[in-house]
Amino acid sequence: MENPFNRDAESLGNVTFLEHLNVEIPNQALASDFYLMGCGFTRDPYLFPGTNNMWVNIGKSQIHMPTGEPLVFRGHVGIVTPDREQLLNRFQGVKSNLKDTKFKFKEHNDHVRATCPWGNKFRFYEPDVERFGKINLGVPFVEFTVPPDTAMGICRFYREILGAKAEVKGNGEGKAAYVTVGIKQCLIFRETDKKLKAFDGHHLQVYVEDFGGPHDKLAKLDLITEESDRCQYRFEDIVDLDTGKVLFTIEHEVRSMTHPLYARPLVNRNPAQTNRNYIWGGDSWVYNLPDTVGPSGRQADPLKAPKAPTIAKRRALRAQQATV
């Protein structure tokens, strides 16, 4: 049968979902001003409601922020959110509350850059189906800055150890490894000549389909740093598979798709909703844009479908046998 579809385009590889990023913060009040009031995200209403940790929902992904000394990602986080004007107005509204912190924001051609009170950097883009998929709120990528001549080795590590889809690309901003970690989600490792800060313990969490295979490979390389529980383990170093040299360090929290939290539905509020301009039914935010898998391939005349004659003969035989 003729196949009109590119089946490989729908393959994610072994890594299926980038669920959360994790940093530590010293002040949840300031975090609320930036992440909730400024960015327009939503605090998870069910888990960690106290002051020792804050889980913030961004579409189907999260940022986890336990209380502690600040941790900072080396690079930036890409965010999709609608309505640039509303975003800028919200940032302007929290500016005075965050004046004695590292908070800042600036408008660029196709995005808005913002820095959290402790130095984590974000780039906010409006929805773009071709680039980011069919979402209007989410985390499509995390970009890390890495040492020169490491992109190829990082790409190979993710392909051979984690079974991820990965490729190296070069553009005006330099050579980078792009690793698929979900539907229209990727980790980007961009080479730089600049001096990099030391790893401070921040981490990211991904789900994988083949849970045991990567674990065995990581264990043989002595890279496992934590055997968390039956559904989770951790590692930190991304290494050159020929020499063992550490190329980059970022803690990975690796979970199986049997983990109880896998695909947990998250609450997302509509930040445009106010008590002064209230709309019934407008409190929650549907973070997905309409999607379709296209036409089903159904024939207008079922008897002209490719396998219709075979199916018709089989049915006729069954009917004949039933009457005997």
Side-chain angles (χ1 to χ4, degrees), residues 224-244:
I224 299 291
T225 56
E226 179 184 283
E227 298 286 8
S228 315
D229 51 47
R230 68 178 177 85
C231 295
Q232 180 181 299
Y233 53 83
R234 297 180 188 237
F235 74 93
E236 294 183 355
D237 290 335
I238 301 169
V239 302
D240 185 297
L241 295 181
D242 291 326
T243 66

Side-chain angles (χ1 to χ4, degrees), residues 41 58-61 78-81 135-141 185 287:
F41 303 151
I58 312 170
K60 63 179 183 178
S61 298
I79 303 289
V80 170
T81 187
I135 59 169
N136 59 36
L137 179 66
V139 182
F141 71 87
Q185 286 183 303
Y287 56 82

Side-chain angles (χ1 to χ4, degrees), residues 276-289:
R276 296 287 187 178
N277 189 27
Y278 189 77
I279 300 174
W280 276 79
D283 290 335
S284 64
W285 189 321
V286 178
Y287 56 82
N288 284 329
L289 295 172

Side-chain angles (χ1 to χ4, degrees), residues 72-74 195-202 248-249:
V72 179
F73 271 74
R74 294 154 298 167
K195 184 178 179 180
L196 302 179
K197 293 182 179 179
F199 175 59
D200 62 12
H202 52 276
F248 191 66
T249 301

Side-chain angles (χ1 to χ4, degrees), residues 82-130:
D83 204 324
R84 176 190 290 209
E85 194 63 34
Q86 286 189 16
L87 176 68
L88 292 169
N89 288 340
R90 291 197 301 268
F91 280 149
Q92 190 64 39
V94 300
K95 191 174 180 179
S96 61
N97 289 1
L98 303 176
K99 64 181 179 180
D100 296 323
T101 73
K102 294 182 179 180
F103 167 70
K104 60 183 177 180
F105 66 98
K106 185 176 181 180
E107 193 172 9
H108 291 258
N109 286 340
D110 71 336
H111 66 276
V112 173
R113 297 188 186 186
T115 303
C116 89
W118 303 281
N120 278 292
K121 294 178 171 58
F122 299 85
R123 294 187 185 181
F124 294 83
Y125 300 84
E126 292 188 297
D128 183 333
V129 172
E130 185 66 27

